[in-house]
Amino acid sequence: MKYNNEEKRPVIPHSRPSLGSGELRRVADVIRSGHLAQGRMVLAFEEAFSEKMAGKASVAVSSGTAALQLVLLAMGIGAGDEVIIPSYVCSALLNVVHHVAAKPVLADIDPDSGNMDPGDVKKRITRRTKAIIVPHMFGLAADLDGLMAPGVPIIEDCAQAVGGAYAGKPVGTFGHAAIFSFYATKVMTTGEGGMVVSGQKKLVDRIRDLREYDEKRAYKIRFNCKMTDMQAALGMAQLEKLSTFIRRRRNIAANYSRFLKEFGLRLPFTDPGHIYFRYVVGLKSDAAGVIRQLRGKGVMAARPVYKPLHQYLGRTGYPHTARVWRNSASLPIYPNLTSKEADRVLSAFAECLQGVGR
Ligand SMILES: *Cc1c(COP(=O)(O)O)cnc(C)c1O
């Protein structure tokens, strides 16, 4: 355990997986069985996942990035095509668009939600636009009605929002396809891993084909981005706990918001479908100072997006993304964050805010 000098108390990490004896037992069972790679457990995980997705087909893969790349390829997106993505998101989205040789078109966000702004997206649609990748940032569903209105195929990026809902229905069931990530510190984990969900049979078949190279009648360029049975076993144990995980996240978020509402900050929406993958607070100015001070107190806050994509690409014209990125701080929130730790997060944060004159 890491200790912090100033406080002489264990450091509270920004994120941390919630694992228990169920995960250990299920993975040990797979190891004992001697069948480690993609097999029955992956199939069982896909079926269990589909049950949460209104029966839509699920294809397990090695990461959220792989899931996105396979969706783009299976949709036939490539050179000469444009894909709209937000600037306020991790670089995985930029990578996959480049990997298929398409052109990334960046859109700005709605500063209140942190999600893509349908008005800004609409202005950037051209004849070449083949898809819009729509992340549900920090666990809050994007404005899907607004984003689907122009009729361009939507790929829902649910990497941060598994178990979340839009208009009372699970996210991942609205788009042409949806992808999920089970990276170690996401809402639920398989270590590394991902899932594609879609109701489009042809697309699903194509992705199953592209996922693995062996025993094919005709050659074409394929991948190896399968999930292992060990990972799927972990995923099964985590999936069983998903609703408990989300309940705990909502509880912590409600406590945070109750305490912080006096401070005049921009707090996360209280939407019934929000799962609070991140608890992101908007300050009045650059959050860097507060993040540094919190870390000094052993509370690992962070900017929730490392760097906006328009900055990586040297593009301008994303005022909401730029401001929200600069002013946002993400506080530790995860199912196994104890109430004591949550209290420490709040008292440390309150001290920092008083320090900077709010
Ligand atoms: C984590 C994440 C991804 C990528 O998932 P990996 O499993 O790490 O490849 C894609 N989109 C969003 C919004 C993410 O948070």
Side-chain angles (χ1 to χ4, degrees), residues 15-20 22-24 26-27 45 49 61-64 158-159 162 180-195 227-242 245 249 277 334-336:
S15 36
R16 168 167 86 194
S18 296
L19 306 166
E23 282 79 355
L24 261 178
R26 279 174 175 273
V27 176
F45 183 42
F49 204 82
V61 292
S62 52
S63 70
C158 308
V162 58
F180 294 80
S181 166
F182 308 124
Y183 177 66
T185 54
K186 294 283 159 96
V187 181
M188 55 173 275
T189 183
T190 61
E192 295 271 8
M195 193 76 84
M227 180 181 277
T228 68
D229 267 14
M230 291 183 289
Q231 291 170 305
L234 193 50
M236 289 292 273
Q238 293 268 292
L239 194 59
E240 281 168 12
K241 296 177 180 171
L242 182 59
F245 282 173
R249 283 179 176 280
F277 170 63
Y334 30 87
N336 66 7

